[in-house]
Amino acid sequence: MFDPFVWALALIALLSLFGYSIGISMLVGSIVFLAGRGFDTSIASETLLQGLFNSYTLLSIPLFILAADIMNAGSLADRLLRFSQAVVGRFRGGLGHVNVFSSLIFSGMSGSAIADAVGMGRIIINMMTRNGQYSPSYAAAITAASATIGPIIPPSIPMVLYALVSDTSIGYLFAAGILPGLLMGLVLMAMNAFIATRRNFPRDESVALRDIPVTTFRAVPALLLPVILLGGIYGGIMTPTEAAAVAAFYALAVSVVVYRSVSAGQFFTTLLNSARSTASVGVLIAGALAFNYVITRQDVPASLAGFIQQFDLSPIGFLLVMNLLLLVLGCVLEGGAILLIIVPIFVPTAQALGIDLLHFGVVVVVNTMIGLVTPPYGLLLFVVANITRQPVGAIVRELTPFLIALLGALAFITFVPDFVLFVPRLLGYRG
């Protein structure tokens, strides 16, 4: 029997297996569904155009991508690493701590795990492996693990996507990610300290105390970006989308005027790279918008909610099931696809169970970030493997302790919603 929905799902899976982007696959599957049901296939294009052009929120994505690319093209990453080394580099396993600490800082600027790994990661990996103090696979592992913090601490491109499908406040979502992001950084640094002690990693050359003020002063223009962004958003001066524009302009001004590290040619290349990244995300969003229409017509959320209610799950039980599901899906699906396709199906159920959507959003985003470092298809694994020329298997072995630490942080975030909601409530959240 011909079921258009089943055929659409099968076609999406088949096209994905043959290497087509998930966005294109969803568009094709949606058109097949509409044609099979006798609907006008132009509904697919109308739905995605309305979704793309009527969402002011989505404008922030290309701007945050551009800001991150400009920072990677200039010397901001290098100066931030020197500052991080001055702060935490004096301890045993110090460059590992620098790796995590610099990710915490950079995450307040880029909102992208890939941007963190490609920009800061490339520099810190070279620092860690230069004198043979750390193996390339260990440097790659801790770089991949620390890059997951990027989209948790604001700004965050995945949180913008979650806000799109859940209709929650981006400003409060950003605030909800601050403490969980710091917790992830803390557990990764603790694990690095534990491993450094067991393996007797050397103490790295520390920055002299008299040099710290100079190093800090040189990094101040870059360090001010998170302050400007968060201060502007939570001070009511600008929306998150406007803040993204300010971030891109500020990164360009600092790189060109203050640090003088970006030439006209580099800026043009940066624009091209940002356009390619934006187009890739745009196709994914377009496909998800069209396929979400299919899911709605098929009444999948209501059917799934009814199925889950049969098991009489408590809110914590539901979150545990979601964690398991998202961690498994993260092994085979890209995070953006999970946020745009899978999560909207479960949002109504979470609401019905009384789960705060800010808390649910942070749990979901943390899961998708952990998915970036889980084999076989963790995207960050391939990014750092390409940088270090190490086998993915060797990186995964070194990554396992850090993955356990991140799962521990995820468990705490899941079971203690007040921890996630503490900062949003300070800013007036009443959900």
Side-chain angles (χ1 to χ4, degrees):
M1 182 179 178
F2 178 76
D3 186 333
F5 185 65
V6 173
W7 276 95
L9 291 177
L11 189 57
I12 291 171
L14 185 63
L15 290 174
S16 299
L17 286 174
F18 277 99
Y20 288 89
S21 77
I22 186 67
I24 296 295
S25 302
M26 287 188 292
L27 282 172
V28 174
S30 301
I31 292 172
V32 167
F33 173 86
L34 292 171
R37 283 291 176 87
F39 298 140
D40 186 349
T41 54
S42 66
I43 292 175
S45 58
E46 180 185 353
T47 301
L48 69 89
L49 287 174
Q50 286 181 348
L52 287 174
F53 289 105
N54 291 339
S55 180
Y56 175 68
T57 299
L58 289 178
L59 283 175
S60 64
I61 294 177
L63 293 168
F64 279 133
I65 290 173
L66 178 59
D69 285 346
I70 291 172
M71 286 185 284
N72 283 335
S75 64
L76 274 75
D78 187 52
R79 292 172 188 270
L80 289 174
L81 277 173
R82 291 175 188 167
F83 170 74
S84 301
Q85 191 171 14
V87 176
V88 297
R90 63 188 66 248
F91 307 106
R92 186 175 297 278
L95 284 180
H97 295 314
V98 170
N99 196 320
V100 178
F101 189 77
S102 61
S103 290
L104 284 170
I105 299 174
F106 197 71
S107 64
M109 305 176 191
S110 72
S112 167
I114 303 301
D116 187 345
V118 172
M120 299 284 271
R122 190 180 300 276
I123 301 172
I124 188 64
I125 286 174
N126 288 335
M127 290 172 61
M128 294 181 72
T129 58
R130 185 178 301 152
N131 298 319
Q133 295 179 329
Y134 302 85
S135 68
S137 56
Y138 183 84
I142 193 170
T143 298
S146 65
T148 61
I149 303 170
I152 309 301
I153 292 179
S156 167
I157 293 173
M159 285 187 180
V160 172
L161 297 179
Y162 175 79
L164 175 69
V165 301
S166 65
D167 197 28
T168 51
S169 163
I170 296 181
Y172 285 137
L173 266 174
F174 282 2
I178 294 175
L179 290 183
L182 293 175
L183 175 64
M184 291 169 68
L186 180 63
V187 298
L188 290 177
M189 292 179 77
M191 182 57 71
N192 176 67
F194 174 74
I195 295 173
T197 301
R198 289 197 62 181
R199 299 187 185 180
N200 197 30
F201 285 160
R203 294 185 182 274
D204 299 301
E205 183 180 350
S206 60
V207 177
L209 292 177
R210 64 178 180 275
D211 294 334
I212 291 179
V214 175
T215 303
T216 303
F217 177 76
R218 290 174 177 170
V220 162
L223 293 171
L224 280 177
L225 180 53
V227 177
I228 293 171
L229 283 179
L230 300 183
I233 293 173
Y234 301 125
I237 301 172
M238 49 186 149
T239 67
T241 302
E242 292 165 346
V246 170
F249 176 78
Y250 183 84
L252 180 62
V254 169
S255 297
V256 174
V257 178
V258 179
Y259 293 148
R260 299 181 181 179
S261 57
V262 175
S263 65
Q266 287 176 311
F267 180 58
F268 180 72
T269 302
T270 298
L271 288 177
L272 287 179
N273 291 336
S274 298
R276 292 190 187 99
S277 299
T278 299
S280 177
V281 175
V283 169
L284 175 61
I285 294 173
L289 289 170
F291 191 66
N292 283 340
Y293 176 83
V294 171
I295 288 173
T296 302
R297 293 295 307 215
Q298 193 69 15
D299 206 22
V300 172
S303 301
L304 185 62
F307 176 75
I308 290 176
Q309 286 173 0
Q310 296 177 7
F311 298 96
D312 195 26
L313 290 175
S314 65
I316 288 297
F318 173 76
L319 287 174
L320 285 175
V321 171
M322 284 300 302
N323 279 338
L324 290 173
L325 175 65
L326 293 174
L327 288 171
V328 171
L329 289 175
C331 295
V332 294
L333 282 180
E334 192 264 337
I338 294 174
L339 286 166
L340 291 169
I341 306 169
I342 307 300
V343 173
I345 301 174
F346 292 97
V347 166
T349 305
Q351 282 183 300
L353 290 172
I355 297 171
D356 187 278
L357 288 188
L358 288 189
H359 177 226
F360 184 63
V362 172
V363 170
V364 164
V365 173
V366 171
N367 269 288
T368 58
M369 291 307 100
I370 292 176
L372 291 175
V373 293
T374 51
Y377 298 115
L379 187 56
L380 283 174
L381 294 177
F382 296 106
V383 170
V384 295
N386 183 60
I387 293 173
T388 59
R389 305 298 179 189
Q390 293 295 301
V392 171
I395 296 173
V396 170
R397 284 192 293 273
E398 294 283 18
L399 181 69
T400 300
F402 297 108
L403 186 56
I404 293 171
L406 289 173
L407 290 174
L410 173 62
F412 184 82
I413 292 165
T414 301
F415 289 118
V416 189
D418 287 340
F419 175 75
V420 176
L421 299 175
F422 179 76
V423 175
R425 286 168 178 164
L426 286 180
L427 297 173
Y429 179 65
R430 294 290 179 266

